[in-house]
Amino acid sequence: MRWNICVVGAGKIGQMIATLLKTSPNYTVTVADHDLAALSVLNKMGVPTKQIDAKDEAGLAEGLKGFDAVISAAPFFLTPAIAKAAQVAGAHYFDLTEDVAATNAVRALAEKSQTAFMPQCGLAPGFVGIAGAALAAEFDEIDSLHMRVGALPLYPTNALKYNLTWSTDGLINEYCNPCDAIVNGQLVKTAPLEDYEILGHDGVEYECFNTSGGLGTLPETLEGKARAVSYRSIRYPGHRDILRLLLNDLGLERRRDLLKDIFEAALPRTDQDVVLVYCTAKGRIGGQLREKSLINKSYSRVIDGQTWSAIQVTTAAGVLGVVDLMRTGTLPSKGFIRQEQVKFADFLETEFGRLYRAGDVTKQSKAA
């Protein structure tokens, strides 16, 4: 069955989602935004658009009528309004948000909805939750599951060793908001920037530390089963210390708008990036204590004649993989859907999930 999709948000990720849908025989796509300049970029790419203000609830709901599904690629603070409009329009709803409060608002809408609501569908949360749940399921008894994800410049040149690759608002939320985790078997909130560790892969040294939102609902699912579950962002060494200076010593954690202005004025964007997913689980299999890892490393690539960054490709593939599973009836079509309800093997078989295959370092190592 061919689905008609509306993508709300004409930014970098919205453009990538629209491009993948446009090139698929199973979808038609329209992109909605209030910004005519952003929509004109999509028009030049051959994607139909419509101008809608997400703050106009009635107009948004009317504009979403007739679509099978709505994908929000808009800022996190617009999530509740877009989800509500999708519900009124009778469309399935998906988004990319890492914001816990926004997800809770979507979850409340889903309780009495006749369509499906599936937030947190990008890279992290999103793909990493699907992969992490699959890794945990390989154990008879799961002890710990640690998921680490980084979207990094290939060629860092500044002291932060970082370039902007996605939403600045989302990035700041990750650095400032409390983090969900399981510690000693209990679901808890941990502090961002803590639980520091050094990680090495493929001859490169990285640092990792707590950030908010990356786990989605996985801690709820594994509570009472695992002793420890965590999510940490991967950065090049030195990044965390500078963040502490900015957020704590200079007080910018309380002035997030100013921090956003500083980041966007000083940190250039880049398409020359790498996305590293590094999941490790420990537990018992057949009575023996075992450890397994899943590593995925993605780079920018050319799709439909244009170069797209690794974070654009992996984020868009994350949400579209689960959209495809719902279109084909593999996922429930009603209520709140968690990422861990998705079978990893099913996800990788979708036309969009296959974009992750080239980055599967674990399988490449086995083949070697």
Side-chain angles (χ1 to χ4, degrees):
M1 184 177 83
R2 189 179 176 94
W3 265 19
N4 188 20
I5 306 285
C6 183
V7 179
V8 181
K12 295 293 186 182
I13 303 298
Q15 292 173 21
M16 179 79 269
I17 294 170
T19 297
L20 291 175
L21 290 172
K22 178 174 71 80
T23 56
S24 169
N26 297 310
Y27 297 90
T28 56
V29 59
T30 300
V31 176
D33 202 304
H34 74 285
D35 188 340
L36 287 176
L39 293 177
S40 69
V41 175
L42 275 300
N43 288 330
K44 292 175 182 177
M45 295 164 57
V47 177
T49 61
K50 58 168 62 182
Q51 187 180 28
I52 298 178
D53 186 351
K55 296 177 182 178
D56 176 7
E57 294 184 12
L60 180 60
E62 183 64 30
L64 297 182
K65 286 183 178 178
F67 290 99
D68 295 293
V70 172
I71 300 173
S72 174
F76 73 93
F77 51 82
L78 294 175
T79 294
I82 297 170
K84 177 62 178 177
Q87 182 189 49
V88 172
H92 299 298
Y93 173 82
F94 304 82
D95 69 39
L96 312 169
T97 188
E98 77 294 326
D99 187 75
V100 175
T103 298
N104 289 338
V106 173
R107 197 170 185 168
L109 284 173
E111 289 182 3
K112 298 180 181 179
S113 178
Q114 297 303 305
T115 53
F117 283 74
M118 193 170 186
Q120 302 184 309
C121 294
L123 168 63
F127 171 80
V128 70
I130 299 170
L135 194 60
E138 294 184 25
F139 292 82
D140 300 326
E141 298 175 33
I142 181 67
D143 176 72
S144 61
L145 175 64
H146 299 296
M147 285 160 313
R148 313 167 186 90
V149 178
L152 300 166
L154 276 174
Y155 312 113
T157 58
N158 53 54
L160 275 170
K161 300 175 186 175
Y162 194 76
N163 289 82
L164 295 178
T165 59
W166 60 295
S167 163
T168 310
D169 289 308
L171 178 70
I172 292 171
N173 273 354
E174 284 195 350
Y175 289 156
C176 296
N177 292 348
C179 312
D180 290 323
I182 294 177
V183 178
N184 294 325
Q186 301 297 313
L187 188 60
V188 300
K189 296 286 187 181
T190 60
L193 309 186
E194 299 301 323
D195 293 328
Y196 183 87
E197 64 177 346
I198 294 294
L199 175 72
H201 173 67
D202 202 21
V204 180
E205 185 176 272
Y206 303 97
E207 65 179 21
C208 309
F209 48 86
N210 293 346
T211 52
S212 176
L215 283 177
T217 56
L218 192 56
E220 294 178 33
T221 301
L222 293 179
E223 186 180 17
K225 300 176 182 178
R227 178 187 57 82
V229 176
S230 70
Y231 174 83
R232 294 164 191 163
S233 282
I234 299 172
R235 298 291 186 261
Y236 294 116
H239 184 93
R240 198 275 303 257
D241 288 344
I242 296 176
L243 282 181
R244 279 184 153 178
L245 168 67
L246 294 171
L247 296 172
N248 301 334
D249 297 347
L250 300 183
L252 293 182
E253 191 276 334
R254 300 183 299 276
R255 303 188 64 187
R256 298 189 191 188
D257 288 345
L258 176 57
L259 182 60
K260 178 180 178 179
D261 289 342
I262 291 171
F263 277 173
E264 294 192 339
L267 298 178
R269 294 191 176 272
T270 183
D271 293 331
Q272 296 174 304
D273 64 334
V274 57
V275 167
L276 177 61
V277 176
Y278 200 120
C279 303
T280 303
K282 183 173 69 175
R284 294 194 175 274
I285 301 175
Q288 293 185 328
L289 184 63
R290 300 285 299 276
E291 183 175 86
K292 291 191 175 187
S293 294
L294 184 153
I295 304 170
N296 196 287
K297 198 171 187 179
S298 300
Y299 299 91
S300 60
R301 65 178 73 192
V302 176
I303 297 174
D304 197 33
Q306 184 174 340
T307 299
W308 301 90
S309 68
I311 188 62
Q312 286 175 295
V313 174
T314 52
T315 302
V319 65
L320 291 180
V322 297
V323 168
D324 207 46
L325 290 174
M326 191 169 292
R327 180 187 66 84
T328 57
T330 306
L331 288 177
S333 59
K334 179 180 175 181
F336 182 75
I337 315 297
R338 303 168 183 250
Q339 298 302 313
E340 51 269 30
Q341 290 177 246
V342 179
K343 293 182 179 179
F344 191 44
D346 290 345
F347 175 87
L348 293 177
E349 284 301 315
T350 67
E351 60 178 300
F352 309 108
R354 291 171 192 159
L355 290 168
Y356 274 96
R357 283 186 175 178
D360 192 335
V361 176
T362 314
K363 286 190 176 179
Q364 291 170 7
S365 299
K366 288 179 180 177

